Amino acid sequence: NRTTPGSPEAEFRILAIRPLTPHIGAEISGVDLSQPIGEDLAAELRQALLEWKVIFFRDQHRFTSGHHLALAAVWGEPEVNPFFPKGDTVGVSRLAKDAMAIGNENIWHSDHSFMAAPALGSVLRAVEVPPAGGDTMWADMAVAYDNLSEEMKARIDGLTAVHDWVPSWGSLMTEEQIARMREALPAVEHPVVIRHPQSGRKVLYVNEPFTTRIVGLSDAESRELLCELVLQARIPEFQVRFHWQPDSVAIWDNIAVQHYAINDYYPQRRVMERIAIAGVPLS
Ligand code: AKG
């Protein structure tokens, strides 16, 4: 009973769009992201991201951290991930595989769901890529929701879940460090099914590293339900996979998708730079 509803076709005058699957992911050409982004281009970029949920650009050879910040500003303010290594520019995190502290890169997740206002999106640039491998995958969590059984939809309707960074990021920290971070980042609750603020679609909003418990259920029931729900992101029909080249750029709608960085290239090196875009509370 899997359905993959198509996206509404918008008119694009500047961007050339090549869908990579029927519902998630499009490669975009016709734009040099090192040039100033005017309002017409910004509007098309926002529309493309809304329709395709993750959009890709290749060969952005002149793209600097300044352009990275300007591109993220099309959607909002940069938000620093408190657990990521800092880059040379404020707001830009540098993710080098040998410096990456935790394995959340190879767990399906949405960025910063442990915050009261999770990131709206992220902009990721490939700086150094391995000779083979190192792809990233994204899963469309609205399609993942649509394809739940009617019984499951009824069961999760109105439920909320706790999201917490401690079981994942905290596993590498001392008790004292955790206690200090805890004040700024308490555990938060979000609905299990959210409404995407722009598309209005229902989105399944639980993820493996950060969603720790479903409110109001016993521990065993909560664990069993979460185990089942997080599997939705792993279904290939809901996904797109992107092979990076140096100076490829991806932007994703972090409310609509989860992502997974494939960890298959050891001992080669892979360096990425990421800006997360600050979000608003979910409903
Ligand atoms: C993240 O930015 O949250 C990641 O998981 C990294 C994605 C990637 O390096 O492909």
Side-chain angles (χ1 to χ4, degrees):
N1 67 335
R2 291 190 185 145
T3 56
T4 49
S7 299
E9 299 278 319
E11 202 178 310
F12 293 97
R13 292 172 188 278
I14 307 169
L15 303 178
I17 304 217
R18 187 172 72 86
L20 299 182
T21 80
H23 58 95
I24 177 174
E27 211 169 294
I28 295 192
S29 53
V31 59
D32 176 353
L33 297 171
S34 69
Q35 294 302 307
I37 300 175
E39 196 32 57
D40 288 352
L41 176 56
E44 287 201 8
L45 288 168
R46 285 187 209 106
Q47 184 60 34
L49 187 62
L50 180 60
E51 282 191 23
W52 294 103
K53 297 137 199 162
V54 51
I55 53 179
F56 305 104
F57 304 83
R58 293 209 181 265
D59 300 321
Q60 299 295 321
H61 300 305
R62 288 192 293 259
F63 194 79
T64 64
S65 292
H67 303 128
H68 202 157
L69 285 162
L71 182 57
V74 167
W75 288 271
E77 295 290 319
E79 172 172 83
V80 175
N81 182 311
F83 304 105
F84 275 4
K86 312 263 176 292
D88 296 336
T89 307
V90 176
V92 182
S93 303
R94 197 170 174 88
L95 312 176
K97 180 64 185 82
D98 50 5
M100 183 99 176
I102 192 176
N104 92 329
E105 60 190 319
N106 55 11
I107 302 178
W108 282 100
H109 66 284
S110 60
D111 290 334
H112 308 185
S113 81
F114 51 80
M115 293 182 173
L120 274 191
S122 294
V123 183
L124 188 66
R125 172 170 87 106
V127 178
E128 204 180 312
V129 299
D135 297 359
T136 306
M137 299 194 292
W138 287 262
D140 183 331
M141 298 310 293
V143 173
Y145 172 81
D146 291 345
N147 285 283
L148 290 170
S149 68
E150 292 310 314
E151 296 94 286
M152 180 59 92
K153 287 179 187 168
R155 188 171 166 205
I156 62 178
D157 185 38
L159 291 179
T160 57
V162 177
H163 292 240
D164 191 351
W165 55 273
V166 171
S168 50
W169 292 109
S171 64
L172 299 156
M173 296 162 67
T174 65
E175 288 299 314
E176 201 188 324
Q177 286 169 324
I178 292 176
R180 215 171 322 120
M181 281 294 246
R182 214 6 153 196
E183 282 182 31
L185 289 173
V188 296
E189 289 181 17
H190 300 299
V192 169
V193 180
I194 57 170
R195 279 250 177 227
H196 190 279
Q198 275 89 44
S199 70
R201 289 184 65 183
K202 287 186 169 182
V203 174
L204 180 61
Y205 196 75
V206 291
N207 68 84
E208 220 173 321
F210 303 133
T211 313
T212 53
R213 188 162 55 77
I214 299 198
V215 177
L217 301 189
S218 71
D219 283 354
E221 277 177 327
S222 163
R223 213 171 19 248
E224 179 252 324
L225 184 53
L226 276 178
C227 282
E228 190 169 344
L229 291 175
V230 297
L231 290 180
Q232 284 295 98
R234 298 192 192 176
I235 296 177
E237 283 76 3
F238 308 159
Q239 301 168 358
V240 64
R241 176 171 177 154
F242 184 67
H243 181 64
W244 298 92
Q245 293 161 336
D247 299 323
S248 299
V249 174
I251 309 171
W252 62 93
D253 176 334
N254 187 54
I255 304 305
V257 303
Q258 291 187 26
H259 60 284
Y260 180 105
I262 299 172
N263 190 8
D264 60 355
Y265 50 88
Y266 181 82
Q268 301 292 331
R269 197 173 144 79
R270 178 178 182 271
V271 181
M272 312 294 278
E273 285 186 347
R274 192 190 87 169
I275 297 179
I277 303 160
V280 292
L282 303 172
S283 57

